[in-house]
Amino acid sequence: MLTREDIFKHVKEKYGSSPDYPWEEYPNYASLRHTSNKKWYGLIMNVLPEKLGLEGHGEIDILNLKCPPDISDGLRNGENILPGYHMDKEHWISIVLERTDPESEIYNLIEQSFHLTK
């Protein structure tokens, strides 16, 4: 299982970007932006499972990434990859970090999102 800190380390090493925290009312919501144009390629949020239609108690970390609709439909499984929470449901997915393995799959999806949002 990847943590938000693992992802922050990965994107810093690979893309030179660090998380920023754009919302005062949501201090743990971290956006991942391109250093050149400041567009988001990812967003990490801590949300309650019921907000996503999932069972469970206590907040969970999710990672929103841009994904082509023809790929995202096949990835969404209702458990660990869902339609983008608070995003365009056709072009974004939400990954439940504590439920997703292997890390290489997540890193590949981050890379895809990075290139789609350039």
Side-chain angles (χ1 to χ4, degrees):
M1 166 184 92
L2 283 178
T3 65
R4 62 175 49 220
E5 289 77 23
D6 295 327
I7 292 169
F8 296 156
K9 181 180 180 208
H10 173 77
V11 300
K12 180 68 172 173
E13 291 171 358
K14 180 127 184 167
Y15 310 113
S17 57
S18 297
D20 74 33
Y21 300 86
W23 299 286
E24 264 184 55
E25 72 249 38
Y26 301 106
N28 293 320
Y29 283 22
S31 66
L32 305 174
R33 299 176 189 257
H34 290 272
T35 55
S36 59
N37 62 15
K38 302 299 181 203
K39 281 186 174 183
W40 292 2
Y41 61 90
L43 178 65
I44 295 182
M45 298 179 282
N46 53 307
V47 299
L48 293 170
E50 64 257 18
K51 298 255 184 193
L52 305 167
L54 301 173
E55 299 285 326
H57 302 286
E59 292 180 335
I60 56 175
D61 280 341
I62 62 171
L63 170 63
N64 282 358
L65 297 171
K66 191 158 191 174
C67 189
D70 58 323
I71 295 172
S72 64
D73 286 343
L75 292 173
R76 293 181 186 134
N77 59 22
E79 286 185 31
N80 63 330
I81 301 181
L82 310 162
Y85 178 68
H86 275 299
M87 304 295 264
D88 176 322
K89 306 283 188 245
E90 185 178 0
H91 294 97
W92 289 81
I93 57 173
S94 290
I95 299 170
V96 181
L97 294 182
E98 69 182 32
R99 297 182 180 186
T100 307
D101 282 320
E103 66 185 49
S104 60
E105 180 181 344
I106 294 176
Y107 290 152
N108 288 337
L109 291 169
I110 291 171
E111 173 124 9
Q112 176 179 258
S113 184
F114 184 85
H115 291 293
L116 286 169
T117 55
K118 242 179 173 179

